[in-house]
Amino acid sequence: MSRRILELLLLVALGAAVGWAADRAALAFVGALAGCSIWIVRDAVRAQRVLRWLNKADASRMPELGGFWGELLDRCRKLIKKLEKKAASSEARLEDFLAAIQASPNGVVLLDAAGRIEWANLTASNQLGFDPQRDLGQYVRNLVRHPAFNAYLSAGDFGHEITIDGIGPRPSQPTKISLQIHPYGKKRKLMITRDVTAVQLAETMRRDFVANVSHEIRTPLTVLSGFVETMQSLELSEEERQQYLGLMSQQAHRMQTLVNDLLTLSRLEGSPAPGPGEWTGTQELLEHVVQEARGLSQAIASTPHRIEPSANSASFWVSGAKTELISAMSNLMSNAVRYTPGGGRIEPGWRINDEGLAEFYVSDSGPGIAAEHLPRLTERFYRVDRSRSRETGGTGLGLAIVKHVAQRHGGRIDVQSTVGQGTTFTISLPPTRVRTSAPD
């Protein structure tokens, strides 16, 4: 009740008291009116206290009032506590939801009706190159300045996703970001982004792999087909016939080698890593691959190579899949034989370096490899000299097999080469796969 009404009531009571002071009935009326006025004033004061408390909405500091106002305050307090608990629960769920979106591998950006950023997780910020705090409220088209994105945003057709360049490790190597907008609410938009660089790279590698395999198989098949047609259509002497059959056998062997290498790669990629249970002596492994290399040298070189284990080669034990280790070592030895001129030196060996790593190395006196080729040597079908590789029967998969074997054993492959002086390939295995004494 307002102050003006209270004053009016008091004036009425005072006037009645003066006018009818002599009359007892008037005195009784004046007393009743005064009591009513006092009750109204007191009730108004309580109402003001209740209003002040409701404005503060502090349930822990409720005024002490009895009667109707006390009951009203108690019910309001219970309702406020219930609403506060519900609000706290909703806020906690919202925080959990935002934390889950923040941890998502996909980027999430919330845009208002005008296209301004309302919220973004760190993934989207890193992919698109803006600050999730400083850039709130900025127009997204001012931050993502890719023509395809601006056209996509302006067109309003969000039924498909687009791919744009993201922030890469270097300007020359941008990442590929797939992006799609989903409208919701009152003209708001949810923008989802994901890094598809690896997917596109894998797809490119798959296409290149299929193309390379097709090319590698097509060449010997063409040769075989040509010889078969020649032998079917022409009268050949026994000498010519034997010559053609020899060339056909050579091409068939080349295809068989390629298929075997492909099967080896498939098996390495699809099987679990070898455990530490199988131990093999390095001397046994070294003798095996040296004998194979000497046989290959006698078969393809006019002058056999000088293949001798290093005088400093150490004897110890390594764990892993014996067949895989032999395959990797044999590939390195085979490459050394194929690419080192006849009569050249090839020196394999084992050692334990200062870090405790077991290293199998093969050094040769061949022509060496130019520095620009070294990073790509372990790529499938990558050849420094394609014509030379085919002449010597290489498939272009040997070093890829070596890399996979090394990685499956927790190791790596390294290469050092100087043009005109030779090359050294090294397979390193972790200390956990090394024992200097015979296993139990």
Side-chain angles (χ1 to χ4, degrees), residues 21 43 74 86 124 181 193 212 250 280 301 316 332 344 351 378 387 428:
D43 202 56
D74 187 60
K86 186 176 181 180
I181 291 177
T193 65
N212 283 323
Q250 181 182 353
T280 308
F316 51 92
L332 292 185
R351 65 190 172 210
T378 57
S387 61
S428 301

Side-chain angles (χ1 to χ4, degrees), residues 103-151:
S104 171
N106 293 331
V108 179
V109 183
L110 301 181
L111 305 175
D112 65 12
R116 291 184 291 257
I117 298 174
E118 290 186 325
W119 186 87
N121 65 355
L122 290 175
T123 303
S125 304
N126 293 333
Q127 290 174 350
L128 300 177
F130 58 80
D131 190 288
Q133 298 298 329
R134 186 185 65 245
D135 292 330
L136 291 182
Q138 298 292 323
Y139 288 97
V140 69
R141 66 170 68 245
N142 294 337
L143 301 175
V144 183
R145 296 180 175 273
H146 196 283
F149 174 72
N150 287 326

Side-chain angles (χ1 to χ4, degrees), residues 196-209:
V196 294
T197 307
V199 175
Q200 291 197 355
L201 180 60
E203 180 63 20
T204 300
M205 291 178 62
R206 184 193 65 80
R207 289 196 301 266
D208 291 344
F209 178 74

Side-chain angles (χ1 to χ4, degrees), residues 357-398:
L357 299 174
E359 295 182 339
F360 171 74
Y361 58 92
V362 179
S363 299
D364 63 57
S365 59
I369 304 170
E372 63 266 23
H373 296 293
L374 297 182
R376 300 189 60 187
L377 285 178
T378 57
E379 293 181 13
R380 298 174 183 182
F381 298 110
Y382 184 81
R383 293 186 175 93
V384 176
D385 185 345
R386 289 185 175 272
S387 61
R388 171 67 176 166
S389 177
R390 290 195 177 95
E391 289 173 2
T392 56
T395 64
L397 296 172

Side-chain angles (χ1 to χ4, degrees), residues 80-94:
I80 289 173
K81 283 190 173 182
K82 183 177 180 181
L83 292 175
E84 287 179 345
K85 185 177 180 181
K86 186 176 181 180
S89 177
S90 298
E91 186 175 353
R93 287 198 300 270
L94 177 61

Side-chain angles (χ1 to χ4, degrees), residues 111-258:
L111 305 175
D112 65 12
R116 291 184 291 257
I117 298 174
E118 290 186 325
W119 186 87
N121 65 355
L122 290 175
T123 303
S125 304
N126 293 333
Q127 290 174 350
L128 300 177
F130 58 80
D131 190 288
Q133 298 298 329
R134 186 185 65 245
D135 292 330
L136 291 182
Q138 298 292 323
Y139 288 97
V140 69
R141 66 170 68 245
N142 294 337
L143 301 175
V144 183
R145 296 180 175 273
H146 196 283
F149 174 72
N150 287 326
Y152 178 69
L153 195 61
S154 300
D157 181 11
F158 306 131
H160 63 283
E161 61 183 22
I162 61 170
T163 301
I164 63 174
D165 292 337
I167 305 300
R170 289 184 294 274
S172 59
Q173 293 182 334
T175 57
K176 296 298 181 181
I177 304 300
S178 174
L179 178 151
Q180 186 169 9
I181 291 177
H182 303 271
Y184 77 99
K186 295 182 178 180
K187 296 185 179 180
R188 282 182 163 80
K189 300 176 181 68
L190 169 67
M191 187 165 70
I192 305 294
T193 65
R194 58 191 179 96
D195 191 335
V196 294
T197 307
V199 175
Q200 291 197 355
L201 180 60
E203 180 63 20
T204 300
M205 291 178 62
R206 184 193 65 80
R207 289 196 301 266
D208 291 344
F209 178 74
V210 172
N212 283 323
V213 170
S214 301
H215 178 73
E216 293 295 330
I217 293 180
R218 184 187 299 115
T219 301
L221 279 177
T222 302
V223 175
L224 282 172
S225 178
F227 283 137
V228 168
E229 290 179 1
T230 300
M231 296 182 69
Q232 288 176 337
S233 59
L234 297 178
E235 291 291 337
L236 301 175
S237 64
E238 184 62 24
E239 182 180 353
E240 290 174 329
R241 182 172 174 274
Q242 292 299 323
Q243 180 185 1
Y244 288 170
L245 287 174
L247 293 173
M248 292 169 66
S249 175
Q250 181 182 353
Q251 295 301 320
H253 177 72
R254 178 180 169 185
M255 283 195 296
Q256 184 178 12
T257 302
L258 176 62

